[in-house]
């Protein structure tokens, strides 16, 4: 009596009947359909990505051209409104050290500050 449960496979009673066959047919058809449509989905994704890249390149080129034009107009406007003896203070012309050539050389090489013994 104990061995009767081991004579039949427990999967036979679980997966049997018309509902099981219908579920298996539906799952197999969905798998085949997804495998059939996968190349088309990948192709559509590749075309969409290519269009997005081309659009972004064109868009960024236009934005950079607008930015460069605005900077050129601002730079030209600064030079036309500037008096010959006035000083334009921007990051290039501000010099805090007494020697401008030394400052330019230090700007290219980096700065090192040494401690002087008479200063505290």
């Amino acid at each position: 009596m104990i061995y009767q449960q081991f004579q039949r496979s427990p999967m036979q009673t679980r997966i049997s009947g018309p509902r099981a066959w219908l579920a298996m047919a539906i799952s197999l058809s969905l798998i085949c359909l997804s495998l059939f449509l996968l190349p088309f989905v990948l192709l559509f994704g590749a075309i969409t990505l290519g269009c997005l890249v081309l659009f972004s390149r064109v868009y960024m080129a236009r934005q950079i051209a607008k930015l460069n034009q605005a900077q050129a107009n601002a730079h030209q406007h600064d030079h036309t409104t500037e008096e010959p003896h006035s000083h334009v203070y921007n990051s290039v012309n501000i010099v805090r050290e007494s020697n401008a050539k030394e400052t330019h050389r230090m700007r290219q090489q980096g700065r090192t500050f040494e401690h002087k013994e008479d200063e505290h």
Side-chain angles (χ1 to χ4, degrees), residues 78-97:
D78 287 345
H79 284 301
T80 57
T81 60
E82 168 183 306
E83 295 178 8
H85 297 294
S86 69
H87 296 290
V88 177
Y89 293 105
N90 56 22
S91 62
V92 177
N93 294 337
I94 295 176
V95 177
R96 292 192 177 107
E97 288 79 15

Side-chain angles (χ1 to χ4, degrees), residues 68-118:
N68 289 338
Q69 184 67 30
Q71 284 180 347
N73 288 343
H75 189 66
Q76 184 180 9
H77 179 69
D78 287 345
H79 284 301
T80 57
T81 60
E82 168 183 306
E83 295 178 8
H85 297 294
S86 69
H87 296 290
V88 177
Y89 293 105
N90 56 22
S91 62
V92 177
N93 294 337
I94 295 176
V95 177
R96 292 192 177 107
E97 288 79 15
S98 60
N99 191 356
K101 287 185 179 181
E102 182 70 22
T103 303
H104 182 69
R105 186 180 62 81
M106 290 177 74
R107 188 180 304 137
Q108 290 175 348
Q109 295 177 352
R111 297 182 180 181
T112 56
F113 297 99
E114 296 182 9
H115 177 69
K116 295 179 183 175
E117 292 186 19
D118 58 344

Side-chain angles (χ1 to χ4, degrees), residues 39-49:
F40 297 109
V41 170
L42 291 176
L43 182 66
F44 178 73
I47 290 171
T48 305
L49 184 64

